[in-house]
Amino acid sequence: MGLIAYFDCPTGISGDMCLGALVSAGVPLEYLMEKLALLGLAHEYRLAAGMVQKQGQAATKVEVHLLTEPSSDRHHHGGRHLPEIEQLIKGSNLPARVSRWSLAIFHQLAIAEGEVHGIEPEAVHFHEVGATDAIVDIVGTCLGLDYLGIDKCYWSALPTGSGTVRAAHGDLPVPVPAVLRLWETRQVPVYDNGLTGELVTPTGAAIAVTLANQFGTKPPFNLQKLGLGAGSKELPLANILRLWIGTESQTAKTPKEIPFGQLETITVLETQLDDLQPQAVGYLLESLLHQGAIDVFTQAIAMKKSRPGILLTVLCAPENQNHCLNLLFRETTSLGVRVRQQQRYALEREWQTVVIAHGSIRIKVAYSYQAGTKIILNAHPEFVDCAALAKATGQPWQLIHQQAIAAWSSLSKDSAQG
C-alpha cells in the first residue's frame, strides 16, 4: 500500500519549503544532488541543507545557492522558455514519475502565466520560475515524493498573504496573478491568516495544484513520520511547512465497504423563476459554483397563468447552504427557496495528471472498493484544462480530449503492469 502525504501550510508554501520538509522526512540530500545532476545544471548551483529556528521551533532549511549571477539571456539560467525546460527534463533520464510530475507542473505554470500575459504557454518566458533554483525546487520536490513512495498528496487550505512583491514585470499585488490563476484551476480553498507579504509563490502554487489529490482537511490516515521545512521569511508565526506522511486508514472504509460508493448527506435548494432575465441565469450558475455548490442545473417548466419559467436546483454541502441561499436571494427575483436534506451514494474521486503533446491535463478518476480492492470505475479529462489547451494551441477541443483519454489509458496500463 502506498503512502499518503498531507502538506499543512499555515504560513504558505514555496519550493524550498517543500524540499526542506522532504529532506526532514528522510530524503537524503545526496540523493537529490545525484539525481538533479542529470539535468545538466550542476555547474549553475550548489544545494545545501541545515537546521534553523523559526519562532523557537527547529526545521530543515534547504537552499539553492546560484554560482553565477542571473541573466536576462534566455539561454542562460536566469530565465527559460517552456520548450527548453521540457528538453532538460525529458533528456535527463529521471525516474518516470518524476519526469511526468515535473513536466505537468511546468505545463500548469506555463498555462497560468500565458493567461496572465495573453500569450501561448510555449511563448512564456519564465523569469523567476524558469530560473535554476525554481527548476531545482520543482524537480527536487518530485524526486523526494517519488523516493518516499508517496502515492497521494493532500494539501491544507492556503493563506492569501497581502501587500505587493517585486517581480520581473514590476510591483505586483499579492497573491500575484499567476498564483490566482493556478488557484482558480482547482478552486483551492484560501483564507486570510493576517500575515503580510507573499506567502504562496508561483512555484509553490504550481506544485500544489498539480500534485494535489484534494485540498482541505486531513484525510483519515495512520501517521508514520513528520517532515518540517523552513521558509526564508521571519514571520509572527513559525514559518514552517509541516509534511505529514502515513498510510491510508482502513477504519474509514473496511467496515462499510460499498461497491457503489460512500453514503453522504447533501443539501438541495430549489426555486422556480418566471421573471429572471436569461442572461442572468448563466451568471448565477457560475456564481453558485464559485460559492461552493456541488452542482447547479435548470429545467424548463410551465408556471401559473401558463407562463414559461425555469426550475433552478442547487446541490451543495450542508455547510455551504447559507452561502448559496444568500446568493439566490441576492441575484434572483425568488421570494422563497425550498430546502431539504438528502442522502446520496458518491464514488470516491482523485485527480491524476497526464501530459500530452500540447500540455498537461487533469483527469478526474472515480473509484470504489470491492473486497478491499480499489476498483476504478470511470475517468474523465477536466473540461477547463482541455478548453484552455485548445484555446492556447488552436487544436480542436475534441482532439485534446481524446488525446488526454489515450494518455491516461496508457498510463493506467503501465501502472497496472508495473
Side-chain angles (χ1 to χ4, degrees), residues 385-400:
D385 291 1
C386 294
L389 279 184
K391 182 179 179 181
T393 63
Q395 297 294 319
W397 177 90
Q398 183 171 304
L399 176 63
I400 298 291

Side-chain angles (χ1 to χ4, degrees), residues 204-323:
I207 292 172
V209 302
T210 306
L211 300 183
N213 292 86
Q214 185 176 315
F215 287 90
T217 58
K218 300 178 189 68
F221 70 105
N222 303 312
L223 181 63
Q224 292 186 344
K225 62 179 68 176
L226 183 67
L228 302 175
S232 300
K233 297 177 180 178
E234 294 300 328
L235 301 171
L237 298 178
N239 190 14
I240 295 174
L241 167 66
R242 303 193 300 176
L243 173 59
W244 306 52
I245 299 175
T247 56
E248 193 167 9
S249 174
Q250 292 303 300
T251 58
K253 292 186 175 69
T254 304
K256 296 183 179 180
E257 285 187 354
I258 302 173
F260 39 86
Q262 297 295 316
L263 189 64
E264 64 183 24
T265 300
I266 60 170
T267 296
V268 180
L269 309 177
E270 196 173 72
T271 186
Q272 60 258 36
L273 305 164
D274 63 0
D275 53 358
L276 186 66
Q277 293 185 4
Q279 298 94 327
V281 176
Y283 170 78
L284 175 63
L285 267 59
E286 183 177 348
S287 299
L288 284 163
L289 291 172
H290 280 296
Q291 197 64 46
I294 299 170
D295 200 2
V296 187
F297 56 92
T298 62
Q299 302 173 66
I301 57 174
M303 298 178 60
K304 62 184 179 182
K305 300 181 182 178
S306 301
R307 290 182 300 200
I310 61 170
L311 176 65
L312 174 66
T313 305
V314 181
L315 307 182
C316 65
E319 59 267 25
N320 290 328
Q321 172 182 312
N322 289 340
H323 296 302

Side-chain angles (χ1 to χ4, degrees), residues 47-312:
L47 201 61
M51 297 298 294
V52 297
Q53 293 282 328
K54 294 293 179 179
Q55 295 295 329
Q57 298 182 44
T60 301
K61 183 76 175 74
V62 171
E63 296 180 286
V64 181
H65 298 285
L66 299 181
L67 301 181
T68 57
E69 289 296 321
S71 166
S72 59
D73 182 352
R74 77 177 186 88
H75 296 294
H76 195 273
H77 66 271
R80 294 177 169 90
H81 290 83
L82 179 62
E84 185 179 354
I85 297 172
E86 288 180 325
Q87 288 304 315
L88 285 173
I89 296 172
K90 291 178 180 178
S92 62
N93 198 31
L94 290 165
R97 286 206 310 175
V98 174
S99 294
R100 187 169 70 249
W101 288 342
S102 300
L103 288 170
I105 292 169
F106 273 109
H107 276 293
Q108 288 289 91
L109 199 48
I111 291 172
E113 292 280 4
E115 290 180 351
V116 168
H117 300 295
I119 59 177
E120 295 183 358
E122 291 76 13
V124 170
H125 182 212
F126 292 115
H127 297 279
E128 293 84 359
V129 295
T132 303
D133 50 354
I135 295 174
V136 171
D137 286 341
I138 289 174
V139 179
T141 296
C142 296
L143 281 166
L145 292 171
D146 182 68
Y147 178 89
L148 293 174
I150 303 299
D151 283 343
K152 294 182 180 180
C153 291
Y154 296 85
W155 296 72
S156 68
L158 299 178
T160 57
S162 61
T164 60
V165 63
R166 174 71 64 169
H169 297 285
D171 289 339
L172 296 175
V174 173
V176 298
V179 168
L180 285 176
R181 286 289 186 182
L182 288 162
W183 285 351
E184 182 185 26
T185 64
R186 294 294 303 274
Q187 298 186 13
V188 176
V190 298
Y191 68 102
D192 183 0
N193 63 0
L195 300 178
T196 59
E198 184 182 33
L199 303 182
V200 177
T201 66
T203 299
I207 292 172
V209 302
T210 306
L211 300 183
N213 292 86
Q214 185 176 315
F215 287 90
T217 58
K218 300 178 189 68
F221 70 105
N222 303 312
L223 181 63
Q224 292 186 344
K225 62 179 68 176
L226 183 67
L228 302 175
S232 300
K233 297 177 180 178
E234 294 300 328
L235 301 171
L237 298 178
N239 190 14
I240 295 174
L241 167 66
R242 303 193 300 176
L243 173 59
W244 306 52
I245 299 175
T247 56
E248 193 167 9
S249 174
Q250 292 303 300
T251 58
K253 292 186 175 69
T254 304
K256 296 183 179 180
E257 285 187 354
I258 302 173
F260 39 86
Q262 297 295 316
L263 189 64
E264 64 183 24
T265 300
I266 60 170
T267 296
V268 180
L269 309 177
E270 196 173 72
T271 186
Q272 60 258 36
L273 305 164
D274 63 0
D275 53 358
L276 186 66
Q277 293 185 4
Q279 298 94 327
V281 176
Y283 170 78
L284 175 63
L285 267 59
E286 183 177 348
S287 299
L288 284 163
L289 291 172
H290 280 296
Q291 197 64 46
I294 299 170
D295 200 2
V296 187
F297 56 92
T298 62
Q299 302 173 66
I301 57 174
M303 298 178 60
K304 62 184 179 182
K305 300 181 182 178
S306 301
R307 290 182 300 200
I310 61 170
L311 176 65
L312 174 66

Side-chain angles (χ1 to χ4, degrees), residues 18-40:
C18 288
L19 283 180
L22 288 163
V23 170
S24 173
V27 179
L29 187 67
E30 295 75 17
Y31 171 81
L32 293 179
M33 295 170 63
E34 174 190 346
K35 293 299 182 182
L36 286 168
L38 297 173
L39 293 169

